[in-house]
């Protein structure tokens, strides 16, 4: 078995485990505490909406306590300045709330990790539980270094996966909805939990090993149809875009020269991706959308996509506008989130100090 086989095998095992957990969630929601998060690097797009935000809303509505960490320190891993971080954090919160995440239900807490000192303090003991060579091997970190073309790599870049373990374990999250690229980080988090218990736990389980939850919805591609939708690839439709901007972007989306529209994600990636987005917005099956369009070709496909996506996004965009005017509410959401996360992190740090005999 070569490395790729191993990776695929691990991935399909994780996928299978994720489906099992999803079944169990509906039966025993109170056994779970979700911790998930994003780097506040810019506005969210429909890839985020259909890929992860809707899932978070689903968890929330099935009664699971959810912590959403805004990983503001982590922004510095691949750039020297965090940019207008205050604005980005605010916009991120607005994107969350407009998409249906609702901190007023007492179940969801949104917090920037820089505001929780006890979480950050956990990084120190955790750093003694991982080897330099382990950090060096992390495939996601390596990819990010290459993608950003970094010449000087900060220690922060190497250790951010350990910091991420502190995000998760400080609030004792046991379920982490993530994309495939985050699996190495979650493996490391599990390792840290295990090693902490072994080294300092005295037979007590201080940290349970959290599990990854991989989404079952396939990634949507950007409007170039070539790669994942992302801000840096200039192929995204942002939640904050207007209906007109959305129409213009879709007009320029790449298609192919075959007139009849049918769904074939292998050989007709671009067209199939557009069909997929229509399907996500309307709930109609991709094949049925394609059949409806038939010989009317990609112009008609784009027209249908524009209409259905704009209709789907209209209430989200309306709510975005309202929230934009309500700075006090956004501040309030964050301060409640920070308070809640801190209460958990304080308890966790105290347990950690006790286990390490570092209470004086
Ligand atoms: N690294 C994640 C990303 O880039 C963001 C993140 C930070 C995160 N802390 C986390 C995700 C904890 C899950 C759990 O998307």
């Amino acid at each position: 078995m070569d490395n790729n086989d191993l990776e695929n095998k691990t991935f399909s095992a994780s996928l299978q485990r994720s489906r099992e957990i999803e079944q169990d969630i509906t039966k025993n929601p109170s056994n779970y505490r979700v911790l998930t998060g994003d780097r506040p690097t810019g506005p969210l797009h429909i890839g985020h909406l259909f890929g992860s935000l809707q899932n978070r809303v689903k968890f929330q509505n099935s009664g699971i306590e959810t912590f959403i960490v805004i990983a503001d320190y982590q922004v510095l891993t691949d750039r020297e300045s965090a940019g207008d971080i205050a604005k980005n954090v605010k916009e991120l919160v607005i994107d969350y709330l407009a998409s249906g995440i609702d901190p007023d239900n007492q179940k969801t807490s949104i917090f920037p990790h820089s505001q929780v000192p006890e979480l950050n303090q956990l990084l120190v003991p955790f750093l003694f539980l991982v080897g330099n060579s382990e950090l060096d091997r992390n495939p996601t970190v390596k990819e990010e270094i290459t993608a950003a073309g970094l010449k000087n790599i900060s220690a922060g870049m190497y250790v951010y996966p350990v910091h991420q373990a502190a995000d998760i374990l400080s609030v004792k999250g046991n379920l982490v909805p993530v994309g495939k690229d985050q699996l190495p980080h979650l493996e490391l988090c599990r390792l840290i939990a295990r090693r902490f218990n072994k080294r300092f736990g005295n037979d007590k389980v201080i940290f349970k090993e959290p599990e990854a939850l991989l989404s079952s919805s396939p990634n949507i591609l950007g409007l170039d149809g070539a790669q994942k939708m992302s801000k840096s690839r200039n192929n995204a439709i942002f939640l904050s875009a207007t209906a007109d901007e959305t129409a213009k972007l879709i007009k320029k989306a790449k298609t192919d020269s075959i007139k009849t529209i049918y769904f074939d994600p292998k050989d007709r990636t671009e067209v199939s991706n557009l069909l997929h987005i229509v399907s996500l917005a309307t709930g109609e099956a991709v094949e049925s959308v394609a059949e409806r369009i038939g010989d009317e070709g990609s112009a008609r496909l784009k027209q249908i996509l524009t209409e259905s996506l704009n209709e789907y996004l209209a209430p989200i965009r309306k709510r975005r506008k309202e929230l934009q005017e309500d700075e006090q509410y956004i501040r309030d959401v964050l301060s409640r989130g920070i308070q809640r996360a801190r209460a958990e992190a304080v308890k966790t740090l105290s347990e950690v100090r006790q286990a390490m005999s570092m209470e004086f």
Side-chain angles (χ1 to χ4, degrees):
M1 208 156 58
D2 68 15
N3 249 344
N4 245 341
D5 288 341
L6 186 66
E7 204 183 299
N8 287 336
K9 201 168 157 226
T10 318
F11 181 62
S12 61
S14 297
L15 261 184
Q16 200 191 339
R17 178 70 193 128
S18 296
R19 299 294 77 80
E20 284 167 21
I21 295 172
E22 264 171 5
Q23 298 241 310
D24 190 54
I25 285 176
T26 51
K27 286 182 230 140
N28 306 301
S30 60
N31 288 352
Y32 294 95
R33 179 177 283 178
V34 165
L35 179 293
T36 170
D38 299 290
R39 295 201 299 160
T41 49
L44 298 184
H45 50 67
I46 60 168
H48 295 115
L49 178 70
F50 294 123
S52 62
L53 293 178
Q54 286 186 336
N55 244 340
R56 293 180 191 173
V57 173
K58 213 171 74 193
F59 295 136
Q60 161 190 290
N61 295 347
S62 51
I64 299 178
E65 173 153 42
T66 302
F67 287 87
I68 302 178
V69 59
I70 298 181
D72 49 353
Y73 278 139
Q74 215 182 85
V75 174
L76 294 167
T77 52
D78 63 0
R79 62 203 79 192
E80 275 175 28
S81 151
D84 193 346
I85 190 84
K87 176 166 170 279
N88 285 348
V89 168
K90 179 184 159 204
E91 292 293 317
L92 186 57
V93 175
I94 291 176
D95 279 337
Y96 288 156
L97 302 180
S99 308
I101 287 168
D102 178 19
D104 291 345
N105 68 0
Q106 314 289 329
K107 286 271 180 191
T108 310
S109 309
I110 303 174
F111 66 100
H113 61 186
S114 67
Q115 303 306 299
V116 183
E118 296 77 12
L119 176 161
N120 292 296
Q121 188 159 342
L122 281 179
L123 177 65
V124 180
F126 287 179
L127 282 172
F128 293 94
L129 300 169
V130 271
N132 263 341
S133 58
E134 282 171 324
L135 295 176
D136 231 1
R137 275 199 300 271
N138 187 306
T140 301
V141 171
K142 280 203 242 176
E143 264 168 41
E144 285 166 348
I145 290 171
T146 313
L150 298 181
K151 291 201 185 67
N152 293 308
I153 307 158
S154 69
M157 175 56 119
Y158 278 112
V159 304
Y160 92 76
V162 186
H163 194 231
Q164 195 159 318
D167 289 338
I168 300 169
L169 297 176
S170 63
V171 299
K172 303 263 176 109
N174 62 3
L175 193 60
V176 188
V178 283
K180 192 178 175 184
D181 63 321
Q182 298 290 307
L183 286 178
H185 300 349
L186 202 79
E187 247 348 282
L188 183 77
C189 178
R190 290 165 61 86
L191 212 58
I192 288 172
R194 213 177 309 151
R195 287 180 184 163
F196 187 91
N197 294 336
K198 191 156 176 245
R199 200 179 300 179
F200 302 111
N202 260 325
D203 295 329
K204 255 182 49 196
V205 177
I206 314 270
F207 294 116
K208 291 207 184 100
E209 291 178 39
E211 294 200 86
L213 190 75
L214 289 161
S215 155
S216 48
S217 56
N219 269 335
I220 66 171
L221 302 172
L223 293 176
D224 53 3
Q227 25 185 4
K228 210 170 126 175
M229 187 173 280
S230 92
K231 181 182 177 222
S232 59
R233 291 174 189 131
N234 248 329
N235 61 7
I237 300 177
F238 295 110
L239 303 184
S240 52
T242 63
D244 279 351
E245 285 163 357
T246 306
K248 280 201 189 106
L249 286 169
I250 293 174
K251 230 182 210 135
K252 282 192 283 181
K254 195 160 178 290
T255 51
D256 56 38
S257 54
I258 307 172
K259 186 155 171 55
T260 307
I261 297 299
Y262 55 89
F263 186 69
D264 178 358
K266 261 217 169 72
D267 287 332
R268 298 188 75 187
T269 328
E270 299 96 349
V271 162
S272 302
N273 184 50
L274 301 184
L275 286 167
H276 185 197
I277 303 174
V278 175
S279 163
L280 288 166
T282 60
E284 187 180 355
V286 277
E287 289 81 6
S288 143
V289 181
E291 211 163 291
R292 221 151 41 82
I293 300 168
D295 287 340
E296 291 178 81
S298 53
R300 178 79 182 129
L301 168 58
K302 287 182 176 182
Q303 192 187 3
I304 289 183
L305 172 59
T306 305
E307 282 164 15
S308 51
L309 189 61
N310 275 336
E311 189 182 318
Y312 186 85
L313 294 176
I316 297 179
R317 288 169 168 165
K318 181 162 170 276
R319 181 95 181 98
R320 268 199 116 270
K321 279 228 172 70
E322 290 162 5
L323 288 161
Q324 210 104 45
E325 303 302 315
D326 202 349
E327 302 229 352
Q328 186 51 45
Y329 180 63
I330 307 297
R331 268 199 297 272
D332 191 49
V333 162
L334 285 173
S335 94
R336 279 185 284 150
I338 293 163
Q339 223 174 30
R340 177 81 194 89
R342 252 198 111 168
E344 291 300 315
V346 164
K347 271 198 278 180
T348 306
L349 181 63
S350 151
E351 279 178 74
V352 161
R353 284 176 167 164
Q354 205 172 14
M356 297 175 80
S357 299
M358 286 188 182
E359 285 182 307
F360 310 104

